[in-house]
Every structure is written in C-alpha cells, then in structure tokens.
Amino acid sequence: MNKAKRTEMFSRWRDINPKPTTELEFSSPFELLVAVALSAQSTDVGVNKATRKLFPVANTPEAILALGEEGLKEYIKTIGLFNSKAKHIIQTCRILIEQFDSVVPQTREELESLPGVGRKTANVILNTAFGQPAMAVDTHIYRVSNRTKIAPGKTVLEVEKRLLRLVPKEFLVDAHHWLILHGRYVCKARKPLCGECVVVDLCEYNKKVLE
C-alpha cells in the first residue's frame, strides 16, 4: 500500500472520530494501568463492570495494597485469570510505592519491569496515558494491518515496527485507537462488514464481502 492511500485511510477515520481513545474507563494513569492489566484475555466491558466497583473504593497503589490480594479478588473475580491478575497488581502496587513514589513511570523499560506488564501493556500506557506515539498491537490491529495491507507483517512485533514507520506522523498518536475500533466493529475476524466500511475502496483485501 502506498503512502497516499494510508494518508487517506487515516484521514477518513479521523473525520468520523477526531479524538479516539480506549474503551476502558479510567481517570488516571494508575487506573489505566490496573484496567489494562485486568483486560488480558477479557473484554473491556467486563473490565469496566469490575473497575466501576473497585475504583471508587481503591484507585491508588496504597489503597489497593491495603485491600490485599484476597480483598482485591472480591472486586475482580468476574474477570478471567483473576487470581494471577490480583497477585500481579498487588506486586505492582508495592513496587510503584517503593521505587516510583506511587507514580506510574513513563518509559517502556520501567513499565516492563512491573509484574505482568509486557510490551503491549506498556505501549497502551505510553500511548493512552501519556500521549506517546506507541503502537499496542492486539489481535484487531494485527488483523487490520495484514488484511488491508496498511502494514503487513508475520509477527506482532513486525507489524508494530512497520506501523510506526509507515503511518504518517500526523496520525501516529491516535492510529492505535482507530485501528482497534475498526477491527472491533467493522473489519471483524469472521465476516468483515465491508459494506459499512468507510475505507473499503482503499483497502487491498482481496476477499471483500460487499453484500
């Protein structure tokens, strides 16, 4: 795909959604960190249901640490893998207090030093909480990048690096959200809604479903 096509695709997504953001509910970098940690192999809807009860009670490292692992589990037990997630979040709260003055760090290296925080989670925090041009490639972004040919790659890391190189700079900070939303609601895995797609004429997918 050439640069002109990519620019037009992102221009159209920006026109219909000028300020995209995550569908996870949060009001601070720490809340986002907890929400993203809970979201692995879970839906944003499910995470939001849990954090709507958790955050009014505990939304700082100190407050969640005070709940303890068992106390935290009571709030997140509806979420998949809640036992290991509770353990990681409690460990993360302790490290944030002891090593980072209770402040969520703003570098990938420091974020990835936290328990349960991998490259994708770190990228979400860097991009969504701190406005850095990071690309958190999930299944939606991986699919859309390959299917449309915006930035095809055989691995998640390859797609991430190609997107960072190929997405025009003016769209880079918000690109990750546009791609996720497009994959979640339009360019679906089993049957893409090509008939409802605003970039269908630019997309280079050779099996478009237009009826």
Side-chain angles (χ1 to χ4, degrees):
M1 181 178 287
N2 62 40
K3 184 179 179 181
K5 269 192 181 181
R6 278 193 206 92
T7 301
E8 179 60 22
M9 288 179 97
F10 283 104
S11 294
R12 291 184 193 179
W13 284 326
R14 182 173 62 187
D15 287 345
I16 61 173
N17 188 2
K19 293 187 176 178
T21 189
T22 178
E23 293 187 320
L24 291 169
E25 296 169 1
F26 72 99
S27 60
S28 69
F30 177 71
E31 285 189 3
L32 180 64
L33 177 60
V34 171
V36 176
L38 293 174
S39 71
Q41 297 179 42
S42 304
T43 66
D44 289 357
V45 171
V47 171
N48 289 338
K49 281 182 182 175
T51 57
R52 280 175 202 152
K53 295 176 182 175
L54 171 64
F55 289 157
V57 175
N59 69 342
T60 64
E62 291 82 359
I64 287 184
L65 193 59
L67 283 178
E69 204 171 311
E70 294 306 313
L72 177 57
K73 284 179 188 178
E74 284 302 306
Y75 289 96
I76 66 170
K77 60 188 178 185
T78 54
I79 295 173
L81 308 174
F82 72 93
N83 284 312
S84 61
K85 289 175 182 178
K87 181 181 177 183
H88 286 152
I89 289 169
I90 291 294
Q91 289 173 337
T92 288
C93 289
R94 192 172 285 119
I95 291 169
L96 286 174
I97 293 165
E98 293 173 357
Q99 297 180 25
F100 297 103
D101 295 322
S102 300
V103 176
V104 176
Q106 296 190 35
T107 71
R108 181 194 308 286
E109 293 72 27
E110 289 172 321
L111 284 166
E112 288 186 11
S113 74
L114 301 171
V117 176
R119 186 180 183 89
K120 189 172 80 172
T121 296
N123 281 341
V124 173
I125 304 301
L126 293 171
N127 179 263
T128 306
F130 302 123
Q132 295 184 28
M135 200 70 65
V137 178
D138 67 353
T139 55
H140 298 300
I141 293 183
Y142 184 79
R143 180 175 65 256
V144 171
S145 297
N146 277 289
R147 189 183 268 170
T148 63
K149 304 294 191 287
I150 283 179
K154 291 180 180 172
T155 66
V156 166
L157 186 58
E158 189 180 345
V159 168
E160 177 189 329
K161 288 181 175 178
R162 293 197 78 182
L163 282 168
L164 288 170
R165 191 174 82 247
L166 296 171
V167 173
K169 279 198 170 66
E170 63 180 300
F171 304 111
L172 208 45
V173 170
D174 292 323
H176 145 252
H177 295 301
W178 285 316
L179 290 166
I180 284 179
L181 293 169
H182 188 66
R184 185 173 288 167
Y185 295 111
V186 181
C187 198
K188 297 180 179 183
R190 291 187 182 174
K191 189 177 180 183
L193 306 178
C194 301
E196 300 174 24
C197 178
V198 297
V199 295
V200 67
D201 56 314
L202 303 167
C203 168
E204 296 182 6
Y205 185 44
N206 59 10
K207 296 178 183 175
K208 291 174 186 169
V209 185
L210 293 168
E211 67 271 6

